[in-house]
Amino acid sequence: MTELEKRIKAKIPGEDTGIEIKHSLCAICSPAFHCGLDCYVKDGKIIKIEGSPDWPGSKGRVCTKGQSNRDYVYRPDRIQTPLKRVGARGEGKFEPISWDEALTIIAEKLNEVKAKYSAHSVAFYSGHCKWYRPILHRLCYSFGSVNFGTDDSTCFKANDIANKLTFGAGAGPNTPKANTFLGWNYGGYYAKHMSVAGVRALKERGGKVIIIDPRHTPAVKNLADLYLQIKPGTDGALALGMGKIIIDNNWIDADYIEKYVHGYEQYKALVQNYPLDKVCAITGLNADDIYEAARIYATNGPATVNFSGCTQTHHINGMQSTRAIHALIAITGNYDRPGGNVPGGVSYLHKNGGFTTREKEFRESLRPHDQLRIGETRFPIWDEYCDEFHAVDLIRQLEEGTPYPVKAFVGLGLNAKMLPESDRLLKAMADNLDFFVDADLFMTHSAKYADIVLPACSSLERGEMKAYEGGFLAYTSPVIEPQFESRSDVEWLCDLARKLDVDDELLKAGYEACCDWIIQDTGLTVADLKKSDMPVKVPTAKPANKPGTYLAGGCKTRSGKIEIYSEAIAAVDAKYGLNPLPDYQDPLYDQNDPEMVEKYPFNMVAGVRLPHTQHSRLHEAPWLRSLRPDPLCEINVEDAKRLGIQENDPVEISSPSGTIYAKAKVTHKFQPGTLMMIHGYTEANVNNLIVSTHLDPYSGYPGFKSARCTIRKYEEA
Ligand SMILES: Nc1nc2c(c(=O)[nH]1)N[C@H]1C(S)=C(S)[C@@H](COP(=O)(O)OP(=O)(O)OC[C@H]3O[C@@H](n4cnc5c(=O)[nH]c(N)nc54)[C@H](O)[C@@H]3O)O[C@H]1N2
Ligand SMILES: Nc1nc2c(c(=O)[nH]1)N[C@H]1C(S)=C(S)[C@@H](COP(=O)(O)OP(=O)(O)OC[C@H]3O[C@@H](n4cnc5c(=O)[nH]c(N)nc54)[C@H](O)[C@@H]3O)O[C@H]1N2
Ligand SMILES: [Mo]
């Protein structure tokens, strides 16, 4: 009996259950997780999902979202066949067509736009899904377009860029060796459930946990020794204020600064502008707590800082605030030190397995250089550090047609709902695109605007390659047949490469051949990986570099040191008005316009995470939707009382860019003046409230977490 058969026997006693347990992975949330699954399959149907105990990383754990995979895969609104639009854009009227017909039309239309305008007028875009990206990215370049873009324009990338500016490398928390965990924007259980065990262990061995979050979450309740309930978007001022306290008390690591830090004297002068009383006024915090946070972080080392996936950078001052937090790490000598923040690499698709692949080469070697990418001239820092167009600038380029028109769009999981002023973006697409194709599992609001809609299958219906920590690579097998006529994206993308007859034999050879090329240095092939239904150990994988080895070789920054003063920012043309030092700016726009302040007195934090939602994907999964059936706008008790709003009252929420409707949820978990909503609902799309010009000039990111709004009780006529 094999190990697997033994497990099935142990789990399901009896002889002929007809149930098989098959391994796969959950691709619903961030690529940093993608937990291993045991899928119970009977008669070709998934009947139950559990965490897979031996899977690297997750080791049997699976969250509420992962548990809902069966509900997700069998959602009744799955797109069943390729579709051709027969109604107006957005109307949702389509007729089924065959895959061959769909791909023929797509190839013809893309070539038409290429001939009439240029290949660059075709934009290729991916939503949150990462697994097919190397193929899509390469197809974009093989076709001749510079415009490959993704949700990176709103997700972790700004963090990554800030890290590269300051440290020249990553800055992940090294919690296992830390004595202090500074949980900046740390929601833990909600968005980063896999990190909680490490923080809990630190606490159990006597370490200190500080959490800085406007919202009182279970992480605060269960883990925090010190909690700072900060006003949203004022983190940069807090960091500079803490820097001043650390310097004034001489808690700095002077030798380390001397050896490794660039711009310390300028920074020391800058923080003089942030005395404690001023910082208290900006952040809404009290002086003792700020002082204590600075003292613990600087004196109870090694200390590590949590950086949120995206929250810190969802403010128009976000990248500078992140760099202001970096400065604390630098002056206390906590970078590249065990228990501090440490550099890390990527093996494949955002995952570090301790080995190298040729992913970057695979996607970038064919990049054209004869045109500017969307957003290139607007966000120079973004452009220097990211090999993608800026999706946030798409709305402008569509509307203005400059520096050249965008005329066709190939979207995989495009969700206008996730970008600012979504309805305006969809209108700009409807009005200006000659052709729009979208592939998705579900008929989304955005897909209704497409000319051709393609049915994609889920991770449980396909095979995909994935890296895991500890030196593992996996190539999964489908657990069930693809539903209806849905297909794996990489299959149809490679078919499209053949139809377009791009000059790229590797892409035309198919996904597995591409994977083999990418992993050629690992000592493994796809055939080797496919022999196992579990991740396979990579022979060339090495243990992670010991902290302390990076700085000695010089940082990968312009000065070779940790740059509090960024030479890369200093090199940007003065017309952009960027500051090489991480100074603070108010997160709300038009702060000096009394009319605006009076009309929109609230600060909306749009897109907080909850355990049962993943962006837009799970709002329609019945089991999870039942946990929160209506889109809710959370409002503080005192504000609600003042405005005569009670729990579950219908409310109207407006900003300078739009109005939406939801129900009120009255809370004491954050301070007055703030509103919070989950994003991704079609019927209450909070991103219609996010002004599309309200952007961080360094990253180009929208101010999702600091948007001017007003709210009132809504009486239906
Ligand atoms: N207000 C606000 N807006 C935000 C954020 C916020 O915090 N606040 N967060 C931002 C962040 S961090 C992110 S990452 C983005 C996420 O934004 P999106 O990437 O738009 O988010 P999802 O809802 O996950 O949408 C992905 C789409 O891909 C589809 N899909 C899933 N699997 C596949 C597949 O295998 N193939 C294909 N073809 N399609 C698939 C899903 O059905 C869904 O429609 O949102 C950003 N927008
Ligand atoms: N359940 C669930 N998990 C997810 C996702 C999801 O949609 N659902 N999305 C995934 C993705 S794509 C991403 S990018 C990551 C995002 O990961 P994170 O950025 O960590 O996500 P959040 O939980 O939104 O934010 C963390 C905490 O920051 C707090 N916060 C909000 N505004 C501020 C502020 O101005 N200052 C401070 N100090 N704190 C603030 C929030 O209240 C929250 O508790 O999450 C990933 N995990
Ligand atoms: Mo994200």
Side-chain angles (χ1 to χ4, degrees):
M1 207 185 279
T2 64
E3 276 306 306
L4 187 60
E5 282 163 346
K6 278 189 211 155
R7 284 219 339 255
I8 298 175
K9 274 262 169 269
K11 281 183 172 182
I12 317 162
E15 285 303 309
D16 289 319
T17 58
I19 298 169
E20 280 181 281
I21 302 181
K22 294 186 175 181
H23 287 134
S24 186
L25 53 86
C26 169
I28 289 180
C29 88
S30 300
F33 302 157
H34 284 195
C35 303
L37 298 179
D38 282 355
C39 305
Y40 291 57
V41 181
K42 186 171 182 178
D43 301 330
K45 278 245 166 202
I46 300 165
I47 56 167
K48 184 180 159 83
I49 300 274
E50 280 180 349
S52 196
D54 304 323
W55 205 272
S58 53
K59 296 202 164 37
R61 283 174 292 192
V62 67
C63 73
T64 26
K65 304 184 293 303
Q67 287 284 354
S68 78
N69 259 290
R70 190 168 62 103
D71 229 22
Y72 177 73
V73 170
Y74 296 125
R75 249 174 73 171
D77 56 341
R78 283 284 297 262
I79 303 166
Q80 302 194 359
T81 66
L83 297 168
K84 184 177 165 187
R85 183 169 59 81
V86 290
R89 282 192 166 144
E91 201 182 345
K93 281 198 185 147
F94 293 95
E95 66 181 24
I97 52 171
S98 71
W99 270 101
D100 190 59
E101 207 182 338
L103 293 175
T104 305
I105 297 172
I106 297 168
E108 272 172 22
K109 293 288 183 185
L110 299 188
N111 278 331
E112 257 173 55
V113 169
K114 188 178 189 172
K116 193 166 166 197
Y117 301 93
S118 94
H120 307 299
S121 289
V122 182
F124 293 75
Y125 178 85
S126 165
H128 183 262
C129 255
K130 317 282 189 260
W131 77 282
Y132 49 66
R133 282 193 193 175
I135 304 292
L136 181 67
H137 204 148
R138 186 161 165 129
L139 176 63
C140 169
Y141 291 169
S142 301
F143 178 73
S145 170
V146 280
N147 283 316
F148 171 81
T150 71
D151 74 330
D152 279 358
S153 304
T154 59
C155 187
F156 177 71
K157 198 71 199 180
N159 233 316
D160 181 50
I161 295 175
N163 289 340
K164 287 190 177 128
L165 288 170
T166 311
F167 303 113
N174 188 217
T175 316
K177 297 264 163 54
N179 283 328
T180 294
F181 179 82
L182 180 54
W184 221 302
N185 309 264
Y186 186 68
Y189 299 87
Y190 290 172
K192 281 190 166 175
H193 54 286
M194 303 284 263
S195 67
V196 171
V199 180
R200 196 179 275 287
L202 173 143
K203 226 179 138 58
E204 277 161 12
R205 61 175 187 266
K208 291 276 182 229
V209 177
I210 305 165
I211 293 183
I212 302 167
D213 193 322
R215 174 169 66 148
H216 194 288
T217 66
V220 173
K221 181 166 170 256
N222 295 341
L223 303 169
D225 296 294
L226 178 63
Y227 170 46
L228 276 65
Q229 191 167 43
I230 193 168
K231 271 193 209 160
T234 63
D235 305 85
L238 173 61
L240 293 165
M242 284 169 67
K244 180 171 183 332
I245 295 167
I246 291 169
I247 292 172
D248 289 350
N249 284 285
N250 203 21
W251 292 327
I252 54 167
D253 186 335
D255 290 345
Y256 183 96
I257 293 172
E258 173 68 29
K259 250 170 131 175
Y260 301 121
V261 178
H262 179 71
Y264 175 69
E265 289 304 325
Q266 290 106 308
Y267 170 75
K268 188 174 167 185
L270 171 69
V271 299
Q272 299 316 310
N273 302 330
Y274 293 89
L276 207 43
D277 54 345
K278 180 173 166 187
V279 175
C280 291
I282 297 173
T283 59
L285 297 169
N286 77 54
D288 288 349
D289 287 348
I290 299 176
Y291 187 89
E292 231 357 54
R295 189 190 64 78
I296 297 171
Y297 175 74
T299 63
N300 188 44
T304 194
V305 182
N306 171 74
F307 289 97
S308 56
C310 60
T311 302
Q312 184 67 52
T313 53
H314 282 177
H315 297 284
I316 55 169
N317 60 17
M319 192 177 282
Q320 287 291 64
S321 302
T322 307
R323 292 204 348 99
I325 300 170
H326 288 167
L328 300 178
I329 301 176
I331 62 170
T332 55
N334 270 306
Y335 185 69
D336 193 31
R337 168 188 190 187
N341 286 77
V342 293
V346 169
S347 300
Y348 183 60
L349 290 178
H350 301 240
K351 263 289 201 190
N352 187 5
F355 52 91
T356 49
T357 66
R358 298 201 185 185
E359 178 191 355
K360 197 166 163 18
E361 234 174 305
F362 175 79
R363 54 169 208 247
E364 281 180 14
S365 53
L366 302 177
R367 181 185 162 187
H369 289 277
D370 55 332
Q371 185 50 284
L372 297 170
R373 291 186 294 214
I374 298 164
E376 180 157 343
T377 49
R378 205 166 162 203
F379 307 113
I381 291 288
W382 165 271
D383 189 64
E384 187 177 337
Y385 287 90
C386 183
D387 57 345
E388 296 183 7
F389 78 76
H390 209 305
V392 170
D393 193 46
L394 183 64
I395 188 168
R396 185 208 56 79
Q397 189 150 338
L398 281 165
E399 286 177 349
E400 294 177 9
T402 56
Y404 55 90
V406 178
K407 284 291 172 188
F409 196 89
V410 180
L412 277 77
L414 165 81
N415 244 325
K417 274 190 294 208
M418 314 314 284
L419 291 163
E421 292 189 65
S422 321
D423 286 350
R424 183 169 152 197
L425 172 59
L426 282 172
K427 182 170 182 319
M429 293 180 81
D431 290 350
N432 295 291
L433 291 177
D434 287 354
F435 183 67
F436 169 22
V437 51
D438 192 31
D440 205 302
L441 276 78
F442 313 106
M443 181 50 80
T444 62
H445 184 59
S446 299
K448 288 184 183 159
Y449 284 75
D451 301 297
I452 298 285
V453 177
L454 298 175
C457 70
S458 70
S459 64
L460 306 186
E461 297 153 275
R462 65 185 181 227
E464 71 183 272
M465 189 167 84
K466 174 95 198 156
Y468 281 95
E469 52 265 68
F472 287 96
L473 261 177
Y475 194 102
T476 56
S477 306
V479 162
I480 51 167
E481 291 290 313
Q483 300 288 289
F484 315 103
E485 288 180 33
S486 67
R487 290 181 75 193
S488 148
D489 295 283
V490 291
E491 279 177 23
W492 72 258
L493 284 169
C494 291
D495 279 352
L496 182 61
R498 292 177 200 113
K499 285 261 187 211
L500 288 164
D501 199 17
V502 292
D503 184 14
D504 186 346
E505 290 315 308
L506 184 53
L507 209 50
K508 287 195 243 174
Y511 177 61
E512 290 190 13
C514 294
C515 289
D516 269 333
W517 194 93
I518 292 168
I519 62 171
Q520 60 184 287
D521 306 322
T522 61
L524 289 170
T525 62
V526 169
D528 297 328
L529 297 176
K530 283 175 92 171
K531 280 183 206 147
S532 170
D533 68 345
M534 290 291 287
V536 175
K537 191 87 188 176
V538 175
T540 53
K542 292 196 201 91
N545 274 349
K546 276 211 174 93
T549 51
Y550 173 72
L551 286 175
C555 287
K556 294 192 185 72
T557 54
R558 296 196 181 198
S559 63
K561 291 188 168 188
I562 299 172
E563 293 193 356
I564 302 182
Y565 181 93
S566 168
E567 293 294 346
I569 296 177
V572 172
D573 193 316
K575 73 176 182 199
Y576 290 97
L578 306 183
N579 188 346
L581 283 171
D583 202 358
Y584 171 75
Q585 274 189 333
D586 198 277
L588 288 164
Y589 50 97
D590 294 329
Q591 191 68 345
N592 298 322
D593 177 348
E595 211 178 303
M596 191 66 113
V597 174
E598 198 190 327
K599 200 164 171 201
Y600 301 107
F602 283 92
N603 183 353
M604 167 68 81
V605 178
V608 287
R609 271 60 172 158
L610 279 183
H612 65 285
T613 68
Q614 175 72 24
H615 304 302
S616 73
R617 293 195 199 174
L618 300 170
H619 292 323
E620 312 304 328
W623 181 56
L624 291 179
R625 181 65 183 241
S626 73
L627 296 171
R628 187 182 264 217
D630 294 308
L632 301 176
C633 179
E634 294 188 56
I635 178 168
N636 174 275
V637 231
E638 286 170 36
D639 287 329
K641 204 164 156 197
R642 190 168 48 80
L643 297 171
I645 295 171
Q646 293 189 343
E647 186 81 358
N648 269 327
D649 273 353
V651 284
E652 180 188 85
I653 313 125
S654 304
S655 83
S657 67
T659 296
I660 61 169
Y661 299 89
K663 285 191 175 169
K665 179 170 166 55
V666 179
T667 181
H668 53 272
K669 293 202 167 151
F670 52 76
Q671 298 287 337
T674 299
L675 300 174
M676 289 198 186
M677 277 192 80
I678 296 179
H679 56 309
Y681 291 105
T682 306
E683 67 275 41
N685 175 12
V686 71
N687 278 346
N688 278 328
L689 305 180
I690 307 295
V691 178
S692 62
T693 50
H694 183 212
L695 306 171
D696 179 335
Y698 297 81
S699 64
Y701 275 32
F704 287 131
K705 304 280 158 53
S706 42
R708 282 197 178 288
C709 278
T710 187
I711 182 168
R712 67 182 180 103
K713 187 171 167 177
Y714 175 64
E715 316 277 359
E716 272 164 289

